[in-house]
Structure formats: C-alpha cells, structure tokens
Amino acid sequence: MKGGDQKTFTREANESPNLVAGDVVVIFEEQEHKYFKREGVHLRMRKRITLIEALLGFQFVVRHLDDRILLVKSEPGVVYRPGDVKAIMEEGMPAHRDPFTTGNLYIEIEVEFPRKLTEDQAKMFARIFPVPRGVPAANGAQEAKLVSVDIEQERRKFQYIENSRKPAYSEDRVDESDQTQCRTQ
C-alpha cells in the first residue's frame, strides 16, 4: 500500500453492550527514506561513484527495506556515465493486492569527476585516451571563455533583473490613429 491508502476493519472498534461496534479505519502515511524514493511499485535510489569506478568497475552494498543486504556489482567492461539508470529486477515494492508481483529497484548513477588534474595525470590520460582534435575556428570567430557559475544564483539574479526592468521605450506612446497602413499595389 502507498501513502494515502486506507484499510477498513469492519466492526472492530470498541464494543459496548447494546451497541454495534464501529469500524476502524487506518490511513497509511508514507515516510521519506534516506536512500530510497518510491515510484509506485518501484524504488529509486542514487549512487555516487568516482570517475575511476565509472571506468573500471565498482561494487557496493545496499541495505534493503526488509534489512537484507544486497551486494551490487557493476557489469564488467561497461563504462558508466552520469545519469545512467540501472535496475535490479524484482527488488522494488510488492504490488497492492498481488504480493507475487514486485517492482524493480532503479539505481541512478552519479559520477564524481576530479576538480583538477595535475600535469602528470593529464599526460597519463592523454596516453590512454585519444586526444580530441581542435575544432578549426571559423573566419572571424571570437574566442569565448568558459567560467564556473552557481546556476541557482544566476537564475535568481536574472529573475530579479527581469522583474525590476521597465520595458524599453515605455515613455513612448503610439497614437494608433496616426499609423500608416500598408497598401497593396
């Protein structure tokens, strides 16, 4: 059952002589979990791995809701990318009214990249991986530099600017009776 579902136990409330017992109604409330998020019968979790684990493989343990310990191993030879979603089949929640049907446990992979590389590390990667060729610059292209930003701070800043900005030429008024009409020839 999921949050908001209810179960009624007919005539199970307190009994009194000469009175019919009332119903007991239980309303289920779903609590947030530290690792799992419920999506219907499926469970979803995120797992952060290092770049080297993404390239060479990893394993980790998951304590399931019923306290079983699952050993999760990456597929040999697979390179994991940020945002990849993998599944452990039938490790989700049982379906309501069908406990033999079980959802899946989906694991979204988050890859931690190093902030910087030393010169030696960069040379090592250049030996292992093909170095991308530069894109030829178009005639008259202007070089643009990438800088790090806090995207949420940028959104707030520009939202403030948009909300406080007056429309351009707000003082100009157009007299609609004085507008020239287009003519067909």
Side-chain angles (χ1 to χ4, degrees), residues 143-149:
E143 188 172 324
K145 181 181 176 184
L146 290 175
V147 295
S148 298
V149 297

Side-chain angles (χ1 to χ4, degrees), residues 44-110:
R44 188 176 191 100
M45 67 174 286
R46 291 186 173 157
K47 178 61 181 168
R48 184 176 295 246
I49 61 174
T50 64
L51 177 58
I52 198 73
E53 289 174 316
L55 296 171
L56 302 179
F58 57 88
Q59 70 179 31
F60 61 93
V61 294
V62 173
R63 180 179 296 277
H64 211 299
L65 295 173
D66 58 4
D67 281 336
R68 288 180 299 125
I69 305 292
L70 303 176
L71 176 62
V72 180
K73 293 183 177 185
S74 61
E75 300 169 81
V78 172
V79 174
Y80 290 85
R81 293 177 171 83
D84 279 355
V85 177
K86 300 296 179 179
I88 302 176
M89 307 308 285
E90 299 181 0
E91 286 295 341
M93 300 296 290
H96 183 57
R97 295 193 173 108
D98 185 4
F100 299 107
T101 301
T102 307
N104 301 322
L105 169 57
Y106 295 109
I107 301 173
E108 182 177 348
I109 303 296
E110 295 178 353

